[in-house]
Amino acid sequence: MGSYTVAVIGGDGIGPEVVAEALKVVAAAGVKLDTTDYELGASRYVRSGDVLPDSVLDELRSVDAVLLGAIGPAIGSTAVPPGVLERGLLLKMRFELDLYVNLRPFNATPGSIAAGADFVVVRENTEGPYAGEGGQLRRGTPFEVATQGSVNTRHGVERCIRYAFELAERRERRSVTLVHKTNVLTFAGDLWQRAFDSVASEHPSVTTAYNHVDAACIYFATDASRYDVVVTDNLFGDILTDLAGAVSGGIGLAASANLNPARTGPSLFEPVHGAAHDIAGTGTANPLAAIRSAAMMLDHLGETETAARITDAVLAIQDEMALSDTTWTTASVGDAVAGRV
């Protein structure tokens, strides 16, 4: 095992609590991390007005990986305007570090709507409506006009699709489903479909399918086991992965990796459950998503066997939690996973 430099952004609310458990498990697995803590998120913004200074971004470029807990103000707070943290921190890191794949795995728990499902969503992470194309005219008047374009480049779309096919070839079922809305979004959808068909021709052993996004929402809720690898654009992926978390056992189990597969900079790993200020400090936050995100980080760093052990432990504990009436705490869940690895 090697030693890796990791930037740790605990963030807000339950973020520092779940990250602490993730680091506990990594240490128990025997991987040495040289960590540096960064205070980024709502608390920093309220205190200093900073979101992500360029000097900090430059420091992040030099680490092996970034592990993030959660960012965001408490619900109802007006101290942080909407979009400030999302665009100034999360999206800025995605764009500046070229984190062009958002990877989210789902293994549904017993008793959940999607019980038995085992699939991953590959979401394009730097283009689409989140690229920031658009504007406003006559703001605040009865004749106001707002546009929000979806930016799709052949380069950006194809590299995301290519990652999905390469991932599928390492999985047992070897299947990729494209999700889009080609019947209405005829320009962007056409680009995605042609790129998908082109990459598919290079991977004859991988089976393919296509779903409109509205149909995919139905299938996620009624027949999620049909999926192996799903590839989709930024906005559809954002929505579908939250739905996938909900039907697979809860958003508290949803891990993610924001990947730079070209490795021109560090990748970022985070649970997607949010800051949950209402339970911060109560010891009731579920750290499994953060722990699995840390396992994804280790896998990306080349610690494949250790990552698999941690993931197996996470899946065993999440099933145990779903089937038992035991009262779990944040620390006891971390201890249980650490004990298994």
Side-chain angles (χ1 to χ4, degrees), residues 4-340:
Y4 307 95
T5 57
V6 175
V8 177
I9 305 171
D12 305 305
I14 64 171
E17 301 171 40
V18 297
V19 164
E21 299 306 313
L23 294 174
K24 175 199 294 182
V25 171
V26 171
V31 178
K32 180 175 172 49
L33 302 181
D34 180 9
T35 62
T36 301
D37 292 322
Y38 288 89
E39 184 199 0
L40 297 172
S43 297
R44 176 176 180 141
Y45 176 80
V46 171
R47 177 176 56 79
S48 66
D50 290 334
V51 180
L52 178 59
D54 288 341
S55 59
V56 174
L57 182 60
D58 287 341
E59 291 181 29
L60 296 180
R61 294 184 196 278
S62 67
V63 301
D64 294 318
V66 181
L67 182 62
L68 186 149
I71 64 162
I75 294 176
S77 170
T78 58
V80 183
V84 167
L85 296 178
E86 291 82 358
R87 297 209 68 86
L89 179 56
L90 296 179
L91 292 185
K92 185 174 181 178
M93 285 193 290
R94 292 175 189 176
F95 297 150
E96 292 291 335
L97 301 177
D98 202 20
L99 307 176
Y100 61 86
V101 165
N102 184 275
L103 180 66
R104 299 195 188 182
F106 298 96
N107 295 84
T109 60
S112 66
I113 295 174
D118 172 6
F119 64 99
V120 295
V121 177
V122 177
R123 165 190 170 192
E124 199 289 316
N125 211 30
T126 60
E127 296 187 347
Y130 294 2
E133 191 277 332
Q136 294 175 310
L137 293 172
R138 307 185 187 95
R139 190 174 187 274
T141 76
F143 306 100
E144 182 172 347
V145 177
T147 64
Q148 194 80 56
S150 179
V151 177
N152 300 266
T153 69
R154 178 63 184 239
H155 168 72
V157 169
E158 184 171 310
R159 66 181 181 174
C160 178
I161 292 172
R162 193 171 299 282
Y163 180 89
F165 274 87
E166 291 170 354
L167 176 61
E169 287 194 326
R170 301 193 299 271
R171 291 172 60 87
E172 183 177 353
R173 292 170 60 188
R174 302 169 71 91
S175 172
V176 182
T177 301
L178 170 64
V179 173
H180 210 281
K181 191 68 175 173
T182 56
N183 59 336
V184 175
L185 304 178
T186 52
F187 302 121
D190 176 64
L191 172 56
W192 273 86
Q193 186 68 69
R194 284 186 290 108
F196 184 83
D197 293 343
S198 176
V199 175
S201 69
E202 302 172 18
H203 299 269
S205 66
V206 177
T207 60
T208 63
Y210 170 81
N211 291 159
H212 289 324
V213 65
D214 42 351
C217 288
I218 295 172
Y219 297 143
F220 270 39
T222 62
D223 186 21
S225 293
R226 70 168 54 205
Y227 295 113
D228 180 25
V229 176
V230 174
V231 63
T232 189
D233 85 343
N234 208 338
L235 179 59
F236 295 149
D238 195 357
I239 296 167
L240 283 171
T241 50
D242 281 353
L243 174 58
V247 302
S248 296
I251 200 68
L253 302 177
S256 79
N258 296 271
L259 298 174
N260 177 337
R263 299 179 187 271
T264 58
S267 293
L268 182 149
F269 304 83
E270 61 172 324
V272 299
H273 46 54
H277 286 267
D278 56 325
I279 60 170
T282 66
T284 59
N286 188 339
L288 287 180
I291 297 170
R292 188 169 189 183
S293 297
M296 297 173 77
M297 177 181 74
L298 294 183
D299 185 64
H300 183 72
L301 293 173
E303 300 288 349
T304 306
E305 186 274 334
T306 304
R309 282 195 288 122
I310 295 176
T311 301
D312 289 344
V314 166
L315 297 181
I317 295 299
Q318 77 175 32
D319 286 357
E320 184 178 336
M321 292 172 68
L323 294 171
S324 74
D325 295 326
T326 302
T327 299
W328 297 82
T329 66
T330 305
S332 70
V333 173
D335 290 342
V337 178
R340 282 180 172 265

